[in-house]
Amino acid sequence: MAMAALGSGGGAGRLTVNGLPVAAGRFAIGYVHSIYRAPSAEVFTVEGARFTMRAVVSLNAGVLDYYALDGERSRTPDGGWVLRLAEPATYPELSLLTTSIGRRTLVSGGRCLPLYPVEGAAEVRVALRPTLDVRGEPCPPPYAGPLQRAVADAQAALTASPSS
């Protein structure tokens, strides 16, 4: 069950992932795949203080092959590729290496929060938390447009299938 807000003694704020508000109990980690140079995303659902990776979305089918995970493949109306994982993975937090090449970016509700440094690499922890200090901006390319629609299509399919 997704939570839109969390409460605590002194007022809490909205449920966020690293400060980006979680919309409709879902978010994605968008990136540009380093081998295929294709905009891609890992799609997560939120359950309490944990999040579960349910699907991988890309504009290039090779990215899905790269993951080497079992699951159901499909195409989105805009020609994107979706891999619904046979065995979703749940995390209380996730540690990522981010670079300006891969441009890992949190995406939720049409808003983005870049996680990568201007140059070099950085380690970033992704976690859910309530906060009053929300962050994010409208999504720029490559996270707007076809990839954004493919992620939305994948999220809608996840919502339509309660067995996920």
Side-chain angles (χ1 to χ4, degrees):
M1 180 176 189
M3 298 173 67
L6 297 177
S8 68
R14 296 181 64 178
L15 179 64
T16 69
V17 57
N18 289 44
L20 180 69
V22 174
R26 304 177 299 233
F27 71 92
I29 300 174
Y31 62 98
V32 176
H33 195 276
S34 61
I35 294 172
Y36 295 99
R37 303 283 187 233
S40 306
E42 297 169 346
V43 179
F44 296 84
T45 56
V46 173
E47 297 88 22
R50 299 169 64 88
F51 48 97
T52 302
M53 185 170 129
R54 304 260 180 207
V56 177
V57 177
S58 184
L59 302 181
N60 183 318
V63 172
L64 278 54
D65 296 333
Y66 181 85
Y67 273 81
L69 294 172
D70 291 331
E72 177 185 330
R73 287 175 183 248
S74 61
R75 297 293 303 261
T76 66
D78 286 328
W81 290 91
V82 178
L83 173 64
R84 285 183 64 165
L85 304 182
E87 296 183 31
T90 300
Y91 307 92
E93 65 178 23
L94 189 59
S95 180
L96 301 173
L97 182 62
T98 65
T99 69
S100 57
I101 296 169
R103 297 183 289 187
R104 288 187 192 263
T105 298
L106 293 170
V107 181
S108 187
R111 299 198 55 86
C112 284
L113 179 63
L115 298 175
Y116 57 92
V118 174
E119 57 184 43
E123 184 176 348
V124 175
R125 289 202 179 288
V126 175
L128 297 167
R129 66 179 178 263
T131 185
L132 294 172
D133 182 28
V134 297
R135 302 176 350 195
E137 57 195 35
C139 292
Y143 307 110
L147 181 65
Q148 188 174 32
R149 289 189 297 274
V151 167
D153 290 341
Q155 289 174 330
L158 292 171
T159 303
S161 175
S163 64
S164 295

